[in-house]
Structures are given as C-alpha cells and as structure tokens.
Amino acid sequence: MIELVSESRCIKCNICVSVCPTNVFDEVLNAPPTIARKSDCQTCFICELYCPVDALFVAPQADESVAVDEEFLVESGLLGTYRKKLGWGRGRTPSAQMEQSAKFFKYSP
C-alpha cells in the first residue's frame, strides 16, 4: 500500500497522479501530491516505478497500512528500491538485460 510521498525528494511532476490506476493521489498546486484515497491502493507499485526521483514508497503489505519513517527508509536504502531492482531510471541496468533463463531454451527439444 502507498505509504509515503517524500516532500524533500518530490519534484511535483505529478506523474504518480497520472499513472495510478485507482486514482489514489490528488494533485496539489505547488506542492507534492497527497495520498487522498489510500484504501484504494492495490499495491501495484506503478507509481513507485514511474517516479523519476524515487520519492514514493509502496509497502508490500497490500491489506493494511504500516507506519513508515522517511529517514529510516533513506538510511536503509528502501526508498526507491523496487525501481532500482527493476533497473528503471537513468544509469541503471534494466533487469531484462540481466535475465539469463533464455540460455536454457537452446537446450530444450
């Protein structure tokens, strides 16, 4: 479930508002978007993936809200982890390029 929009990282691009399939966010003039309908979040991580500055944190718990601390998320490297692991963002290697399972298909009948 979406738990955090980092005010210190957010660049107010509102991409998260546009990509959210369940309309969880509300755009706010000259401010980061607000999490307006948290219970509608489907924990799809699309907002976190599309955020160009890793300002969002979606907790993997889909059915319950969990308390998060932005400082802890930054220090532990959790803020932006999902996007990083998939290779989204400038200077990152897309995970599809690291995929090795296709090598096994040449051995199948």
Side-chain angles (χ1 to χ4, degrees):
M1 183 176 292
I2 182 70
E3 297 294 347
L4 175 74
V5 177
S6 170
E7 292 199 25
S8 62
R9 290 184 177 207
C10 181
I11 58 173
K12 304 167 192 78
C13 65
N14 290 305
I15 292 173
C16 57
V17 177
S18 300
V19 300
C20 180
T22 57
N23 197 29
V24 168
F25 302 97
D26 276 347
E27 187 174 336
V28 179
L29 188 63
N30 299 318
T34 60
I35 302 170
R37 290 161 290 281
K38 186 185 242 185
S39 62
D40 289 347
C41 180
Q42 295 180 350
T43 316
C44 66
F45 294 91
I46 290 175
C47 59
E48 189 172 330
L49 281 172
Y50 277 87
C51 180
V53 293
D54 297 327
L56 301 174
F57 179 73
V58 178
Q61 294 85 349
D63 296 330
E64 61 186 86
S65 183
V66 294
V68 296
D69 176 58
E70 182 174 353
E71 187 176 324
F72 171 77
L73 293 173
V74 171
E75 289 174 2
S76 63
L78 289 173
L79 199 56
T81 300
Y82 186 66
R83 197 168 171 261
K84 182 179 181 180
K85 290 208 181 269
L86 291 181
W88 283 46
R90 190 170 287 146
R92 296 176 177 165
T93 303
S95 59
Q97 289 181 0
M98 297 182 288
E99 174 59 44
Q100 300 294 311
S101 63
K103 292 179 181 180
F104 297 109
F105 293 122
K106 68 180 180 181
Y107 300 112
S108 63

